[in-house]
Amino acid sequence: MATAPPASMALAASTASKRDTICIFGTGDFGRALAQKLIQSGYPVVFGSRSTKPSSLVPRGAEVLSHVEAAQKAAIIIVAVQRQHYSFLSSLAEALQGKVLVDVSNNLKIDQYPESNAQYLAQLLPDAKVVKAFNTVSAWALQSGTLDASRQVFVCGDDAEAKRMVMELVRALGLTPLDQGSLLAARQIENYPLQLFPMWRFPILLSLSLTIFFFLYCLALDVIYPYVYRKQDLSFLIAVSIPNKVCPVLALVLLGLVYLPGVLAAILQLWRGTKYRRFPGWLDRWMLCRKQLGLVALAFASVHVLYTLVIPIRSYIRWRTSSQIVSQALSNRTQPLDTTNAWLSDSYLALGILGFFFFVLLGITSLPSVSNSVNWREFRFVQSKLGYLALVLCTAHTLVYGGKWFLVPSSYKWCLPPIYMLSLVVPCAVLVLKFVLVFPCLDKPLTQIRQGWERNPQRPEPSHLIINKSAV
Amino acid sequence: MATAPPASMALAASTASKRDTICIFGTGDFGRALAQKLIQSGYPVVFGSRSTKPSSLVPRGAEVLSHVEAAQKAAIIIVAVQRQHYSFLSSLAEALQGKVLVDVSNNLKIDQYPESNAQYLAQLLPDAKVVKAFNTVSAWALQSGTLDASRQVFVCGDDAEAKRMVMELVRALGLTPLDQGSLLAARQIENYPLQLFPMWRFPILLSLSLTIFFFLYCLALDVIYPYVYRKQDLSFLIAVSIPNKVCPVLALVLLGLVYLPGVLAAILQLWRGTKYRRFPGWLDRWMLCRKQLGLVALAFASVHVLYTLVIPIRSYIRWRTSSQIVSQALSNRTQPLDTTNAWLSDSYLALGILGFFFFVLLGITSLPSVSNSVNWREFRFVQSKLGYLALVLCTAHTLVYGGKWFLVPSSYKWCLPPIYMLSLVVPCAVLVLKFVLVFPCLDKPLTQIRQGWERNPQRPEPSHLIINKSAV
Amino acid sequence: MATAPPASMALAASTASKRDTICIFGTGDFGRALAQKLIQSGYPVVFGSRSTKPSSLVPRGAEVLSHVEAAQKAAIIIVAVQRQHYSFLSSLAEALQGKVLVDVSNNLKIDQYPESNAQYLAQLLPDAKVVKAFNTVSAWALQSGTLDASRQVFVCGDDAEAKRMVMELVRALGLTPLDQGSLLAARQIENYPLQLFPMWRFPILLSLSLTIFFFLYCLALDVIYPYVYRKQDLSFLIAVSIPNKVCPVLALVLLGLVYLPGVLAAILQLWRGTKYRRFPGWLDRWMLCRKQLGLVALAFASVHVLYTLVIPIRSYIRWRTSSQIVSQALSNRTQPLDTTNAWLSDSYLALGILGFFFFVLLGITSLPSVSNSVNWREFRFVQSKLGYLALVLCTAHTLVYGGKWFLVPSSYKWCLPPIYMLSLVVPCAVLVLKFVLVFPCLDKPLTQIRQGWERNPQRPEPSHLIINKSAV
């Protein structure tokens, strides 16, 4: 009765009831933290060390042996040693033959050495199978269990089976392995933890320089101009009023810049009559940082909202309101309601609120966990349709805000237009171009081009093309 | 010294040091993008093509052969060809025998063909093992590496081993395979990328129709009524005032509708005396879209908050305030502070703020990455306890806002109640029913029913039931 | 032509074209829900039951057999039976020999039994391989497919191969297995679904008690003091004004408490001259709940923002404003603009807005999906640099808000300082200590210590240390 049928017998491998021993070279922070985590996950751990006398720092349950003895006990050896000490490993070449060596090291600078640490290790020990892994995980995160920062472990190596074994190990520790290909990728993997928001650099630099420009522009018109002509000290406007002019301008310009490359790409494709030629490098890079541009724009929009909502609390505004009312009362005037003004004021507020709402919706959808749970069509619907809706609403908000002041000469101090007029250039250009591209005479060929049609085809096998979701 | 012990020897399979060749049929966008990604991940790639002259578009490192030659080189063949060209594959039946064919195709419309593309392929080549995969991934996302939209790859197929091989391939590309069962699931998988928020359709349609109804209701009472009876033009209220009445009403009604089905389900279970009978279809569907209903309600609540906070900036409000003060000053009156009014005004604001705070907390918890990091008990605590707290606070906010106006006849223009009274019907009904259900005489049998107890048991084996976390 | 090359032949295992049968003991809620999910994923399912007459509740496609017959059909047996019924399983010991038994049970209380259910099962059946799994998944979530709460399935067991088989099964159902080590971990896994935010308990208790203290403090100074000395009834301040004093104070104090342990740890490390001695327990626990403390602080800050923004809408404020203006008008005074006041008011608003902005940024970065997509250096940059920026801005916001009132004796009612002065103690202490630690004479040795240097080294192998990203 106890004999299981043969099919399931094959599955229940009776031999491997224990996990395989893992060897760690080096009893430093990271080696010890990893050892502790491995022991928790049921792996026997043996340390390879120069001095084999047991240290109080080595986690309980781990054995400390000489390097050679430790290496013999395991198929996977984690080299938790600094690169400058790798040279001693060549003396162990015989013991390490055929073993899987896991390079976990990091550098202090990007591209510090001519070759990656893992490649250097592979050169030292050509008979071992070197796999790069674990370098993105910190000793502290392993020990405290608070893997707030990435659970992702990038893995690369030239030996597929060695890589598979290491990825299995990574998974057993509750981490997520990501196969990055051959050992050539080690360079990139070693640089990764040293990077500081590389995709954000351009959007942040751009917005910083625009901020400085627009800030100085406003300073000239709003503080220096009245000081020069009317000897008024309005320097306190620097704290709230001027930022509250710069922020919405930047939000609108950056939002326009998010959608401009898509329009330019469409024009380029129409011009070339094919989608099979690469875009120029600047356009490619621009398109890849659209998400970051959009989020920076959202940040400026959010700050603008807060700055706007505190207006009635500001001491200056309260003073202005009360002195207006007092002067009205003293002059015994009662103004009737100006319905046009009420309409304009309410409209631009409503447009701004709705624009901001859709903008925030876009921001939420770009959270990794949200964008992972929608399909491609839904993602494009939100990012394209709702994005253009937000752009239209925010542009209209600015236009209605400007209202009748566009034509009043006194708006143009020193012959310079007010800042909100400048902010309208990019979004209006985008909207006009997009509007033109929507016409069937342009939209139809564009759709065909994006489905693989070419005006001057030069490729051998157009019939086998698969229509896929086009980008942009 | 170099011989590893036998246990670890078994692990370090020395043969498979290289990845297996993958064959791709079709040199279209998707085929080429996939090839490039595969080559990056260390797979040799061979294209099967009608014309074998090397194309400049084929990624470097990929070989182009005839279909038969290419098929012989690999165990996995990715069919990146449009469905209408599948027929030519039957001529390759012999070469494809026993191979794993990966169908990556998509359609242009939901349920475009009587059977799914993958099933059609399986009918054409009964001796091949067809697996559906990769159709949710776009060529552009593969190429640019910006897999913002889903990393999930749905996989289905009738052959378990073939499916395992494809899932391994998916994982090697850094994507997440999700096993969807047999090839029958291909239909659903092919429809998936064409769906546009199916779970959101009902909540959005419902809220749209309610919005229109309440908007017209407000329009009649706030704009048409004063125009008819007092010839006042208050049309500018359409921009901010009326939306700011409609939004909170919808937020409250929809929040009530989130908790109503749970209460109805409890009553139904009490009535039936068992939890082992299915709920009616409408109740099931309603319960499944509660999250979406709640998020739409949160959107309306957020817009209401913004509309409310801009009130003091509105030109109309500033005019009204100043004319009131001016008339006070002119008539030489000074009003004393009405403490009751101050209490009422501050209370409804405080209740609204706290209700909105818990509402936002609910929204944050429903983000996929947050809800994934809490356990079931914590999730239910937030969604049920904090949810009811938000409902109670928001209902109280509306009740206190109404305040003494409930009993003043002049509130009822054209004998119609103000809109906020209408909004109280659903949430008050939910709260009353919930309050009744909390009484021990009803709560005790309900808890028993949810733990598996039945009033009229008809099932053979009640003793083996496992008490599990009940839903609702 | 049809013969595939040997390399790929090895891959395409032709035998295992069907999945292996899974046996489930117990036809309760969870057993049935799991069966349905398994059948959908292509597994044949057989129920082991006392009564073998087919029940209408058992999902279609599942067979119902006696326990012994069912057990023989499968290698994996899921024991969906309550712990108190486990004893009957010992009679099946022979049939279960060598089988993988999956314990899915949960308890009603934390640490309800001396040993975990899984360990109890393993004691009853020493010849079976017991694996704990699936206990965090609810029957309802399995059935409805709405796995909103965790997709994570904690797995533990003493037999590595059995565990591997169960993890494969978990993955096939679209869930994420997390290996937790040996069966000893079952106790923790069984307690997990019963936990209610254990990491949040301390931050929430702390903030609750501080809230009560500061609320009573404000009540005494703002409501009781004027009532006692001036017979004024200001009780309505309880609704908005006092909460709006307590919230910012708590936000600032808690934000200070987030950064205090890091500073204390640095001082301790400098004092000890090594990082290799454990911090005292209270400091360890404090450092582990910094994220939760910060998020609670953010919650208070957000409520403070809302309370502040509704100020101009409050009936009391509108009354105060209009009576001030009326009295101005009646006394025929017109106040000139006080530029200093305008500067102070605008500055503290601007500082508060920027501080809140960076605070929200910190909150967004602590969302699991966002923190998973940044590397360790980026995560530390945001949490440390931007965090201190937020702390500096919020402290400056409070200092400027206090402004000249620090030196005015009338601010000190009953000789007690206003509440915002109290709130400055912790953040100012943190900032002063941090400022001192930034000086090279302290920063240099601290950096060395964190890289592994020791003033009095006692460890055998310092040369092999790997420099890793230090925490704090």
Side-chain angles (χ1 to χ4, degrees):
Chain A
M1 267 310 187
T3 52
S8 52
M9 202 58 216
L11 263 175
S14 54
T15 54
S17 73
K18 286 280 174 214
R19 288 183 184 279
D20 298 285
T21 302
I22 305 293
C23 166
I24 300 176
F25 280 4
T27 54
D29 278 15
F30 191 74
R32 295 202 313 272
L34 200 59
Q36 202 167 354
K37 192 83 186 169
L38 284 166
I39 289 168
Q40 279 171 11
S41 303
Y43 285 94
V45 170
V46 58
F47 277 100
S49 169
R50 216 175 291 174
S51 137
T52 57
K53 76 171 177 201
S55 154
S56 66
L57 287 155
V58 161
R60 267 192 206 179
E63 219 177 334
V64 182
L65 299 173
S66 76
H67 287 113
V68 172
E69 285 172 322
Q72 278 174 338
K73 289 225 172 185
I76 299 181
I77 295 156
I78 292 164
V79 184
V81 173
Q82 279 181 277
R83 182 194 167 111
Q84 48 265 47
H85 300 294
Y86 278 7
S87 46
F88 91 95
L89 290 168
S90 37
S91 63
L92 306 171
E94 209 184 346
L96 298 177
Q97 203 180 353
K99 300 285 183 179
V100 177
L101 292 193
V102 186
D103 183 306
V104 303
S105 64
N106 270 324
N107 293 323
L108 295 172
K109 270 181 266 169
I110 285 185
D111 290 337
Q112 194 173 3
Y113 297 101
E115 76 288 87
S116 69
N117 300 352
Q119 284 172 299
Y120 173 59
L121 185 62
Q123 284 164 18
L124 280 175
L125 297 160
D127 291 337
K129 298 161 189 166
V130 174
V131 173
K132 180 89 207 176
F134 288 113
N135 71 314
T136 52
V137 178
S138 84
W140 187 75
L142 274 176
Q143 269 171 328
S144 65
T146 56
L147 286 156
D148 264 335
S150 188
R151 287 176 173 279
Q152 293 180 350
V153 173
F154 298 110
V155 179
C156 76
D158 288 332
D159 186 284
E161 179 58 22
K163 196 149 63 171
R164 200 196 55 72
M165 286 163 67
V166 173
M167 287 170 78
E168 197 61 40
L169 189 67
V170 172
R171 255 184 230 116
L173 299 185
L175 303 164
T176 313
L178 280 180
D179 192 336
Q180 299 292 300
S182 76
L183 207 58
L184 279 171
R187 185 180 204 84
Q188 222 179 327
I189 296 178
E190 286 174 13
N191 282 340
Y192 176 78
L194 300 166
Q195 284 173 350
L196 192 60
F197 297 110
M199 296 298 288
W200 289 85
R201 199 158 297 163
F202 171 69
I204 284 175
L205 279 181
L206 176 72
S207 56
L208 265 186
S209 36
L210 284 176
T211 304
I212 293 170
F213 168 74
F214 283 119
F215 186 82
L216 294 177
Y217 191 93
C218 275
L219 197 70
L221 294 191
D222 292 352
V223 175
I224 300 176
Y225 184 93
Y227 187 77
V228 168
Y229 288 87
R230 283 177 267 145
K231 293 284 169 213
Q232 254 186 310
D233 175 17
L234 295 176
S235 61
F236 64 88
L237 294 179
I238 289 171
V240 174
S241 299
I242 292 183
N244 198 22
K245 284 185 172 182
V246 173
C247 282
V249 163
L250 268 157
L252 192 57
V253 170
L254 291 175
L255 187 59
L257 291 178
V258 169
Y259 290 96
L260 189 53
V263 173
L264 293 180
I267 293 170
L268 209 64
Q269 285 179 339
L270 269 177
W271 178 265
R272 289 172 170 180
T274 174
K275 69 163 176 176
Y276 294 111
R277 278 170 58 197
R278 286 195 73 80
F279 295 129
W282 57 269
L283 190 56
D284 249 2
R285 281 194 299 278
W286 191 354
M287 287 176 82
L288 283 177
C289 72
R290 285 181 294 179
K291 178 181 165 182
Q292 283 76 17
L293 273 175
L295 289 175
V296 173
L298 179 56
F300 279 104
S302 308
V303 174
H304 164 52
V305 167
L306 284 175
Y307 270 125
T308 303
L309 294 177
V310 298
I311 286 178
I313 314 176
R314 291 174 60 196
S315 161
Y316 165 63
I317 299 294
R318 287 200 311 246
W319 168 83
R320 206 177 61 183
T321 309
S322 74
S323 44
Q324 277 169 1
I325 298 177
V326 168
S327 73
Q328 262 186 53
L330 293 181
S331 62
N332 212 338
R333 272 179 302 133
T334 41
Q335 279 184 315
L337 173 61
D338 181 347
T339 323
T340 316
N341 243 344
W343 254 113
L344 277 178
S345 147
D346 280 12
S347 304
Y348 95 77
L349 288 172
L351 286 167
I353 288 170
L354 292 177
F356 182 66
F357 171 75
F358 285 110
F359 209 162
V360 170
L361 217 64
L362 285 177
I364 292 173
T365 331
S366 71
L367 284 172
S369 67
V370 177
S371 62
N372 269 330
S373 64
V374 300
N375 69 35
W376 185 251
R377 190 176 165 216
E378 292 165 344
F379 185 73
R380 285 206 53 222
F381 174 82
V382 171
Q383 295 297 326
S384 168
K385 296 283 186 304
L386 292 194
Y388 268 105
L389 184 57
L391 183 61
V392 167
L393 286 168
C394 291
T395 310
H397 165 68
T398 314
L399 282 168
V400 176
Y401 168 79
K404 51 197 174 192
W405 297 103
F406 282 103
L407 301 172
V408 177
S410 69
S411 316
Y412 299 85
K413 298 171 188 161
W414 283 332
C415 300
L416 290 172
I419 186 173
Y420 64 85
M421 293 190 194
L422 295 181
S423 75
L424 284 165
V425 177
V426 177
C428 285
V430 171
L431 289 178
V432 167
L433 287 173
K434 183 73 189 175
F435 181 72
V436 170
L437 284 172
V438 165
F439 277 96
C441 58
L442 289 172
D443 187 47
K444 228 176 117 183
L446 187 61
T447 308
Q448 284 179 330
I449 286 169
R450 288 190 175 160
Q451 287 177 356
W453 176 84
E454 289 182 279
R455 207 182 292 136
N456 310 306
Q458 295 157 341
R459 297 174 329 103
E461 205 177 26
S463 68
H464 276 194
L465 282 174
I466 181 164
I467 297 171
N468 214 282
K469 311 116 251 173
S470 60
V472 183
Chain B
M1 265 309 184
T3 52
S8 53
M9 202 60 215
L11 263 176
S14 55
T15 53
S17 72
K18 285 280 174 214
R19 287 181 185 280
D20 297 285
T21 303
I22 305 292
C23 166
I24 300 176
F25 279 6
T27 55
D29 279 15
F30 191 74
R32 295 202 313 272
L34 200 59
Q36 202 168 352
K37 192 83 187 170
L38 284 166
I39 290 167
Q40 280 171 11
S41 304
Y43 286 94
V45 169
V46 59
F47 277 100
S49 168
R50 218 175 291 175
S51 137
T52 57
K53 72 170 180 203
S55 155
S56 65
L57 287 155
V58 161
R60 267 190 205 180
E63 218 177 335
V64 183
L65 299 174
S66 77
H67 287 114
V68 172
E69 285 171 324
Q72 279 173 339
K73 288 224 171 185
I76 298 180
I77 295 156
I78 292 163
V79 184
V81 173
Q82 279 180 275
R83 181 195 168 112
Q84 49 264 46
H85 301 294
Y86 278 6
S87 46
F88 91 96
L89 291 167
S90 36
S91 63
L92 308 170
E94 212 183 343
L96 298 177
Q97 203 179 354
K99 301 285 185 181
V100 177
L101 292 192
V102 185
D103 183 306
V104 303
S105 64
N106 269 324
N107 292 323
L108 295 172
K109 270 181 267 169
I110 286 185
D111 291 337
Q112 195 173 2
Y113 297 101
E115 76 286 270
S116 69
N117 301 352
Q119 284 173 300
Y120 173 61
L121 186 63
Q123 284 163 20
L124 281 175
L125 297 160
D127 291 336
K129 297 162 189 165
V130 174
V131 174
K132 180 88 207 175
F134 288 115
N135 72 312
T136 53
V137 178
S138 85
W140 187 75
L142 275 175
Q143 269 170 329
S144 65
T146 56
L147 285 157
D148 263 335
S150 187
R151 287 176 173 278
Q152 293 180 350
V153 173
F154 298 109
V155 179
C156 77
D158 287 332
D159 185 284
E161 178 59 21
K163 197 150 62 172
R164 200 196 55 72
M165 287 163 67
V166 174
M167 287 170 78
E168 197 60 41
L169 189 67
V170 171
R171 256 185 230 114
L173 299 184
L175 302 165
T176 312
L178 279 181
D179 191 335
Q180 299 291 300
S182 76
L183 207 58
L184 279 171
R187 182 179 205 84
Q188 224 180 324
I189 296 178
E190 287 173 15
N191 282 340
Y192 176 78
L194 300 166
Q195 283 173 350
L196 193 60
F197 297 110
M199 295 299 289
W200 289 85
R201 199 157 298 162
F202 171 68
I204 285 177
L205 280 181
L206 176 71
S207 56
L208 265 187
S209 35
L210 283 176
T211 304
I212 293 169
F213 168 72
F214 284 118
F215 186 82
L216 294 177
Y217 192 93
C218 276
L219 197 70
L221 294 191
D222 293 352
V223 176
I224 299 176
Y225 184 93
Y227 187 77
V228 168
Y229 287 87
R230 283 177 267 144
K231 292 286 168 210
Q232 254 187 310
D233 176 15
L234 296 176
S235 61
F236 62 88
L237 296 178
I238 289 172
V240 173
S241 300
I242 292 183
N244 198 22
K245 285 186 170 182
V246 173
C247 283
V249 163
L250 267 158
L252 192 56
V253 170
L254 291 175
L255 188 58
L257 291 179
V258 169
Y259 289 97
L260 189 53
V263 173
L264 293 181
I267 294 171
L268 210 62
Q269 285 179 339
L270 270 177
W271 178 264
R272 288 171 169 179
T274 175
K275 70 164 175 175
Y276 295 111
R277 277 168 62 196
R278 285 194 75 80
F279 294 130
W282 57 270
L283 190 55
D284 250 2
R285 281 193 299 279
W286 190 353
M287 288 177 81
L288 283 176
C289 73
R290 284 182 293 180
K291 177 180 166 182
Q292 283 75 18
L293 272 174
L295 289 175
V296 173
L298 178 57
F300 279 105
S302 309
V303 174
H304 164 53
V305 166
L306 285 175
Y307 270 124
T308 302
L309 294 177
V310 298
I311 285 177
I313 315 175
R314 292 172 61 195
S315 161
Y316 166 63
I317 300 295
R318 288 200 311 248
W319 168 82
R320 206 177 60 182
T321 309
S322 73
S323 43
Q324 277 169 0
I325 299 176
V326 168
S327 72
Q328 263 185 51
L330 293 182
S331 61
N332 213 337
R333 274 179 300 134
T334 42
Q335 279 184 316
L337 173 61
D338 181 346
T339 323
T340 316
N341 242 344
W343 254 114
L344 276 178
S345 149
D346 280 12
S347 305
Y348 95 77
L349 288 171
L351 286 167
I353 288 170
L354 293 177
F356 182 65
F357 170 76
F358 286 110
F359 208 162
V360 170
L361 216 65
L362 284 177
I364 292 173
T365 330
S366 72
L367 283 172
S369 67
V370 177
S371 62
N372 269 329
S373 65
V374 299
N375 69 33
W376 186 249
R377 190 179 164 212
E378 292 165 344
F379 185 72
R380 284 205 55 220
F381 174 80
V382 171
Q383 295 297 328
S384 167
K385 296 284 187 303
L386 292 193
Y388 268 106
L389 183 57
L391 183 60
V392 167
L393 287 167
C394 291
T395 310
H397 166 68
T398 314
L399 282 167
V400 177
Y401 168 79
K404 51 196 174 193
W405 297 101
F406 282 104
L407 301 171
V408 177
S410 70
S411 314
Y412 299 85
K413 298 171 189 163
W414 281 336
C415 302
L416 291 173
I419 187 174
Y420 63 85
M421 294 191 194
L422 294 182
S423 75
L424 285 165
V425 177
V426 177
C428 286
V430 171
L431 290 177
V432 166
L433 286 174
K434 184 75 187 174
F435 181 71
V436 170
L437 285 173
V438 165
F439 278 95
C441 58
L442 288 173
D443 187 49
K444 226 176 119 184
L446 188 60
T447 308
Q448 284 179 330
I449 286 168
R450 287 187 174 162
Q451 287 177 355
W453 177 83
E454 288 183 279
R455 207 182 294 134
N456 308 306
Q458 294 158 342
R459 297 172 330 103
E461 205 175 25
S463 67
H464 277 193
L465 281 175
I466 181 164
I467 297 171
N468 213 282
K469 311 114 252 174
S470 59
V472 183
Chain C
M1 264 312 186
T3 52
S8 52
M9 202 59 214
L11 262 175
S14 55
T15 53
S17 71
K18 286 281 176 212
R19 287 181 184 280
D20 297 286
T21 302
I22 305 292
C23 166
I24 299 176
F25 280 5
T27 55
D29 279 15
F30 191 73
R32 295 201 314 270
L34 200 60
Q36 203 168 352
K37 192 84 185 170
L38 284 166
I39 290 167
Q40 280 171 11
S41 303
Y43 286 94
V45 169
V46 58
F47 277 100
S49 169
R50 216 176 291 175
S51 137
T52 57
K53 74 172 177 198
S55 155
S56 65
L57 288 155
V58 161
R60 268 189 206 181
E63 219 176 335
V64 183
L65 298 174
S66 76
H67 286 113
V68 172
E69 285 172 323
Q72 279 173 339
K73 289 224 171 184
I76 298 180
I77 295 157
I78 292 164
V79 184
V81 173
Q82 279 181 276
R83 180 194 168 112
Q84 48 264 46
H85 301 295
Y86 278 7
S87 46
F88 91 95
L89 291 167
S90 37
S91 63
L92 307 171
E94 210 183 346
L96 299 177
Q97 204 180 351
K99 300 285 184 178
V100 177
L101 292 193
V102 186
D103 183 307
V104 302
S105 64
N106 269 323
N107 293 324
L108 294 172
K109 271 181 266 169
I110 285 185
D111 291 337
Q112 195 173 2
Y113 296 101
E115 77 286 271
S116 69
N117 300 353
Q119 284 172 300
Y120 173 60
L121 185 62
Q123 285 163 16
L124 280 175
L125 297 161
D127 291 336
K129 298 162 189 165
V130 174
V131 173
K132 180 88 206 177
F134 288 114
N135 72 313
T136 52
V137 178
S138 85
W140 187 75
L142 276 175
Q143 270 171 328
S144 65
T146 56
L147 286 157
D148 264 333
S150 186
R151 288 177 173 279
Q152 293 179 350
V153 173
F154 298 109
V155 179
C156 77
D158 288 332
D159 186 284
E161 178 59 21
K163 198 150 61 172
R164 199 196 56 71
M165 287 163 67
V166 174
M167 287 170 79
E168 197 60 40
L169 189 68
V170 172
R171 256 185 230 114
L173 300 185
L175 303 165
T176 313
L178 280 179
D179 193 334
Q180 299 292 301
S182 75
L183 207 59
L184 279 171
R187 184 181 205 83
Q188 223 179 325
I189 297 177
E190 286 173 14
N191 282 340
Y192 176 78
L194 299 165
Q195 285 173 349
L196 193 59
F197 298 111
M199 296 297 290
W200 289 85
R201 199 157 298 164
F202 171 69
I204 285 177
L205 279 181
L206 176 71
S207 56
L208 265 187
S209 35
L210 284 176
T211 304
I212 292 170
F213 168 73
F214 284 119
F215 185 82
L216 293 177
Y217 192 93
C218 276
L219 196 71
L221 295 191
D222 293 351
V223 175
I224 298 176
Y225 183 93
Y227 188 76
V228 168
Y229 288 88
R230 284 176 269 142
K231 291 285 168 211
Q232 254 186 313
D233 176 16
L234 296 176
S235 61
F236 64 87
L237 295 178
I238 290 171
V240 174
S241 300
I242 292 183
N244 198 23
K245 284 187 172 181
V246 174
C247 283
V249 164
L250 267 158
L252 192 57
V253 170
L254 291 176
L255 188 57
L257 291 179
V258 170
Y259 289 97
L260 189 54
V263 174
L264 294 182
I267 293 171
L268 210 63
Q269 286 179 339
L270 270 177
W271 178 265
R272 289 171 169 179
T274 174
K275 70 164 176 175
Y276 294 112
R277 277 170 59 198
R278 287 195 74 79
F279 295 129
W282 57 270
L283 190 56
D284 249 2
R285 279 194 299 278
W286 191 353
M287 288 177 82
L288 284 177
C289 73
R290 285 182 292 180
K291 178 180 166 183
Q292 282 76 18
L293 272 175
L295 289 175
V296 173
L298 179 56
F300 278 104
S302 309
V303 174
H304 164 53
V305 167
L306 285 174
Y307 270 124
T308 303
L309 294 176
V310 297
I311 286 177
I313 315 175
R314 291 173 61 195
S315 160
Y316 165 63
I317 300 295
R318 288 200 312 247
W319 167 83
R320 206 177 59 183
T321 309
S322 73
S323 42
Q324 277 168 359
I325 300 177
V326 167
S327 73
Q328 262 185 54
L330 293 182
S331 61
N332 215 339
R333 274 178 300 133
T334 41
Q335 279 184 315
L337 173 61
D338 180 347
T339 322
T340 316
N341 242 344
W343 255 114
L344 277 178
S345 147
D346 279 12
S347 305
Y348 95 77
L349 288 172
L351 286 167
I353 287 170
L354 292 176
F356 183 65
F357 171 75
F358 286 110
F359 208 161
V360 170
L361 217 62
L362 285 178
I364 292 173
T365 331
S366 72
L367 283 173
S369 67
V370 177
S371 61
N372 269 329
S373 65
V374 300
N375 69 35
W376 185 251
R377 188 176 166 216
E378 293 165 345
F379 184 72
R380 283 207 54 220
F381 174 81
V382 171
Q383 295 297 328
S384 168
K385 297 283 186 303
L386 292 194
Y388 267 106
L389 184 57
L391 183 60
V392 167
L393 287 168
C394 290
T395 310
H397 166 67
T398 313
L399 282 168
V400 177
Y401 168 79
K404 51 194 172 191
W405 297 102
F406 283 104
L407 300 172
V408 177
S410 71
S411 314
Y412 299 84
K413 297 171 190 162
W414 282 334
C415 300
L416 291 172
I419 186 173
Y420 64 84
M421 295 190 193
L422 295 182
S423 76
L424 285 165
V425 177
V426 177
C428 285
V430 171
L431 290 178
V432 167
L433 287 174
K434 183 74 189 175
F435 181 72
V436 171
L437 284 172
V438 165
F439 278 97
C441 58
L442 289 173
D443 188 49
K444 227 176 119 184
L446 187 61
T447 307
Q448 285 178 329
I449 285 170
R450 287 190 176 160
Q451 287 177 356
W453 177 84
E454 289 183 279
R455 207 182 293 135
N456 309 306
Q458 294 157 342
R459 297 172 330 102
E461 204 175 26
S463 68
H464 275 194
L465 282 175
I466 181 162
I467 296 171
N468 213 283
K469 312 114 252 174
S470 61
V472 184

